[in-house]
Amino acid sequence: MTQTVSALYDTYDAAASAVNALEATGIPHSDISIVSNNVDERYNNDRRSNATEDAEKGAGIGAAVGGVGGLLTGLGLLAIPGIGPVVAAGWLVAAAAGAATGAAVGGAAGGLVGALTSSGVPERDANFYAEGVRRGGTLVTAQVDDARASAAREILRQYKSVDPDVRGAAYRQSGWTAFDEKAPPYTSDQVAAERARYIKRGGGI
C-alpha cells in the first residue's frame, strides 16, 4: 500500500533540504513533489517550464518538470488562482493540473486541494496546506509505501516543518475557515510579513 506524507515549510531552503533528504533515502524523485510560493519572484522567470502545455497534451508534469538529476533540477513556474505564482515540480502538480482540464496555467487551486485529497490527505489538512502556500510557504509531498512512511515523516519533521494543528489554529483565530481559490493572492509584502511572523517564533508553529 502507498501513503502520502506531506509537510509545509516557512522557507524554500528547508523544504529543498527535506526533498534532498527524501531522495537520499532512495525515494524516487518521481514520487516527490514541491510547490512553493513565488510571489517575490526569487525564481527566474526565464526558466518557465512547459508544464501546462504538456498537461493539456496529456503528458505527465512529473516527467516534464521532474528532472533527470533530481526533483529540484526541474522546477517550473505556474500560476494558481488564489495563491498566485508558484515554483513547482512533481506528481502533485500533474494531478492538480489534471483536476482542472482546460483551466489557465497550473489549473485551478481547487485542483491542488483535490489532488491532495484524492491521494489520501484529509480535506482539513489539504485546505491548510493550500492556504499555507498562499501565505508564502512551501509544500513537500511524497508517495511512499507503508514500510517507508514513518521514516519519511521523520525526515520531513527534521527540517522544521510547520505543525498543521498549531498553525491551522492560528489561521482560524484570524477568521480563516478553508482555502478559497477566489480570494486574492497574498502580495509580496504580505508574504514577507507572514514569513517573518512565524520564522521569528521558530518556524514550527
Side-chain angles (χ1 to χ4, degrees):
M1 295 290 290
T2 299
Q3 299 184 34
T4 299
V5 296
S6 307
L8 180 72
Y9 298 88
D10 286 317
T11 69
Y12 172 83
D13 288 346
S17 295
V19 167
N20 288 332
L22 290 172
E23 290 182 327
T25 67
I27 298 174
H29 65 257
S30 58
D31 291 338
I32 306 171
S33 286
I34 186 169
V35 181
S36 181
N37 190 297
N38 195 50
V39 70
D40 53 6
E41 299 183 345
R42 68 183 179 281
Y43 188 76
N44 194 334
N45 283 314
D46 292 337
R47 298 179 64 189
R48 182 178 299 275
S49 76
N50 294 319
T52 302
E53 180 181 350
D54 291 336
E56 291 172 351
K57 293 179 180 177
I61 292 181
V65 301
V68 295
L71 184 74
L72 300 178
T73 66
L75 292 168
L77 293 173
L78 305 171
I80 301 181
I83 293 178
V86 301
V87 58
W91 65 269
L92 181 62
V93 188
T101 303
V105 176
L112 178 59
V113 173
L116 286 166
T117 56
S118 66
S119 67
V121 177
E123 185 174 358
R124 179 185 176 95
D125 291 345
N127 276 275
F128 166 75
Y129 290 135
E131 182 67 17
V133 176
R134 174 178 178 253
R135 297 186 185 212
T138 299
L139 174 65
V140 174
T141 59
Q143 292 182 317
V144 298
D145 57 41
D146 290 341
R148 284 182 164 179
S150 293
R153 289 191 179 94
E154 182 57 32
I155 289 171
L156 294 177
R157 284 193 291 266
Q158 286 175 2
Y159 292 92
K160 298 184 178 179
S161 61
V162 171
D163 184 324
D165 293 330
V166 177
R167 183 69 62 84
Y171 288 174
R172 287 187 289 276
Q173 286 177 356
S174 64
W176 177 81
T177 55
F179 178 75
D180 181 3
E181 67 180 48
K182 296 180 180 179
Y186 268 38
T187 66
S188 57
D189 287 344
Q190 288 175 311
V191 164
E194 190 80 1
R195 286 174 177 160
R197 178 179 303 116
Y198 293 113
I199 291 173
K200 286 180 180 179
R201 296 179 181 179
I205 62 172

